[in-house]
Amino acid sequence: GFLEDGILVQDRGRIRLRYLRSPSFPWDMAAVLPTDLLYLRLGLGVPAVRANRCLRVPRLFEAFDRRETRTAHPNTFRVAKLMLYVFIAIHWHGCLYFALSAQLGLGTDTWVCPNASHPGFARPLRQYLHSFYFSTLILTTVGDTPEPQREEEFLFVTAGFLLAVLGFATITGSISSVISNMNAADAAFYPNPEPVRCYLRAQGASGWLVRRVARWHQHLQMQRKLPAERAVLRHLPRGLQAEVAASVHLPALRRVGLFQSWERGVLQQLVLRLQPQVFGPGEFVCRRGDVGHEMYFVREGQLAVVAEDGVTQLAILGEGLYFGEISLINIKGNTSGNRRTANIMSIGYSDLFCLSKEDLAEVLAEFPSARAMMEAKGRELLLRMGKLDVHAEAAAAAAAQEAECRAQALETALEGLQTQAARLLAQLESSAFKLALRVERLECQLRRRQQPAGGAG
């Protein structure tokens, strides 16, 4: 098929007509002409009759480009493609070497390919391997080849070295670019640890802290964690970002008990705002009394709720659990306010989702039912912890209801004032219109009275 105005056309008739009118059609026709029939007249020793097949080389490059964009391992495909180019170049150069040796005479000197009378060279395979090996030495500029004896041999070796300098230097540069692209891709996914290491060394930090930072970076690359996920997907349209994020994170998000009853639309809005974070062993995610600005969802790993001594483990949080939502939701009667109520420490390497207070408020504003469910779960947790003042909650609810009644009364009064103002404005416009008509009549009477006086004069 082909694209027309961004739509894939798969109609065979239109595809056929477009191909027949394309510039590549004559070249494809010339490439498939049955020039092999010339073997019947010239014999099998003239393989040049099939040279028209090389006209399809642009098609080969097109196939390579399309496969490179579709494969899951593009760097491996590029390296394999470059190696294929190397083998083809050596093969063709070896064929030219054997043809030149046959023209000069096989076995006539030490430079040309030995003839069939030489021990071991009776088979064509051995002659081909010798030619391939000889061309490999020349094109890789290794040298160690027999010294040329004739002018043709000198010219062939010189041309081979020039081809090696130009062609193989290009191929080597392409391989180095592939390696640099791989490093650039890793740098786009993972943070570079060198600036942090240099900073710690310059500030005289302890070696234990430097090793801890190094282990954290190593864990990211070994486990294929992507902390810069939002930066990687920023070029995609928002709808496609939502699809990619949902396909990657939605299964893990559905394991969270809080979200199992939520609709898919809420979860798709959440996955666009989640920030992956990785915490190392012994690292505190939050401490009791800190002001909470985000909540966390456990994707992988285990975290411990520890006492004030930082050692005693009170509870274990595993995959699918969440914490920190109480600090983000303004629950009436919460005696702790928006501060953390527990110390959470990572036991090993923990992979968490982080959701900020602003993003959560934005999502819950669009889905009131989800907000009500989260507030109910938070109120239940505060009751179990004894941090919910029921009387204060009732007082806050009564104050909110009173404020709502006052707001409704103010709205009613405002509507009455607006009605009176509209009525006064209508009366003012009517009076102004009547006054304008009266002024216009007086002006007309004045002009009529002035006309006879002007005529008499």
Side-chain angles (χ1 to χ4, degrees), residues 204-259:
S206 62
W208 172 81
L209 185 58
V210 175
R211 290 191 297 271
R212 182 178 174 184
V213 172
R215 285 196 299 267
W216 185 82
H217 283 92
Q218 184 180 9
H219 172 76
L220 289 184
Q221 294 195 358
M222 291 180 61
Q223 301 298 324
R224 313 299 293 178
K225 305 296 183 182
L226 306 179
E229 181 178 287
R230 185 173 295 183
V232 173
L233 303 178
R234 69 183 183 275
H235 298 296
L236 298 178
R238 186 171 180 84
L240 192 55
Q241 285 186 23
E243 292 293 331
V244 173
S247 64
V248 174
H249 299 313
L250 206 55
L253 207 60
R254 286 192 180 277
R255 291 195 295 267
V256 179
L258 178 64
F259 299 140

Side-chain angles (χ1 to χ4, degrees), residues 41-52:
R41 182 176 180 85
L42 302 177
L44 298 177
V46 190
V49 299
R50 300 183 69 250
N52 63 320

